[in-house]
Amino acid sequence: MCRECEAVTPVLGPLVAQLLELDPGERISALEVVDALSQKQQAAREDATELCEEYMCPICQELVLDAHTVCADEHVFCRMCLSQWLEAKNECPTCRTITGAPRRLRVINNAVEKLASRVLTDRQREERELRKQEFIDAVAAAEAAYQGSLEEDALRRRASAASQEG
């Protein structure tokens, strides 16, 4: 096979070489090209499905959003799913070991975003974007509630200090 053919793509390179064969008996037919491409596409779909399964949150059964872990085995969960779980139980949802502090898995987050952009349908991407927005809204609400509680604590301390002075 010529170098130019190999350089086209790993999928098309060998097919281009076979299509450009000088000997007509060695050339592949259009049906063989279609069959070869469909086999490659099927294999790619299977690989993508396998990757998606690897990055599924066991709690919500969706591709993880803001991947976090709490155990040494680094089982992967959505941040919000894991937070809700930890409110009820202080253990990893998968292996049930006592948890440490949740840790973000940035490399997995990056890989999942690339995977999602390539394998999800338009509808699935829209649903994922809605879940992301819900997550962002929930984080903003939690931060606002936390800030509000800090302000209330500060006001109580001032009031307490003022009453002790007076």
Side-chain angles (χ1 to χ4, degrees):
M1 178 184 338
C2 67
R3 287 192 183 138
E4 290 108 17
C5 295
E6 289 175 352
V8 174
T9 67
V11 175
L12 293 178
L15 294 176
V16 170
Q18 290 173 340
L19 285 168
L20 296 176
E21 278 292 330
L22 296 177
D23 180 3
E26 295 292 317
R27 279 187 222 132
I28 61 174
S29 70
L31 290 175
E32 290 172 317
V33 170
V34 169
D35 185 50
L37 289 175
S38 66
Q39 287 175 8
K40 299 266 186 198
Q41 288 175 338
Q42 180 61 31
R45 272 194 292 276
E46 289 169 5
D47 290 346
T49 300
E50 187 176 321
L51 275 173
C52 285
E53 288 170 2
E54 188 69 28
Y55 295 127
M56 286 285 186
C57 172
I59 298 171
C60 69
Q61 296 296 304
E62 298 284 343
L63 276 177
V64 293
L65 277 178
D66 196 15
H68 276 65
T69 190
V70 289
C71 68
D73 292 334
E74 293 194 343
H75 297 125
V76 178
F77 309 95
C78 299
R79 177 180 171 187
M80 293 303 292
C81 294
L82 185 58
S83 295
Q84 291 171 355
W85 177 273
L86 293 175
E87 287 175 12
K89 298 180 180 181
N90 191 31
E91 61 188 22
C92 172
T94 301
C95 65
R96 306 289 196 226
T97 59
I98 302 300
T99 64
R103 291 176 291 129
R104 175 174 279 136
L105 300 169
R106 286 183 177 87
V107 172
I108 290 179
N109 284 324
N110 293 340
V112 168
E113 288 308 312
K114 288 177 184 174
L115 179 65
S117 70
R118 291 181 181 162
V119 301
L120 297 181
T121 65
D122 289 341
R123 183 172 161 260
Q124 289 171 323
R125 277 194 294 273
E126 287 173 16
E127 289 171 0
R128 184 168 174 80
E129 287 303 315
L130 287 172
R131 285 183 62 225
K132 276 185 192 178
Q133 191 57 52
E134 289 171 2
F135 168 75
I136 290 167
D137 293 346
V139 168
E143 288 175 356
Y146 178 71
Q147 286 299 323
S149 69
L150 289 179
E151 290 170 9
E152 287 176 16
D153 288 346
L155 287 173
R156 272 189 241 130
R157 278 190 237 118
R158 284 189 215 130
S160 176
S163 68
Q164 288 176 357
E165 289 176 3

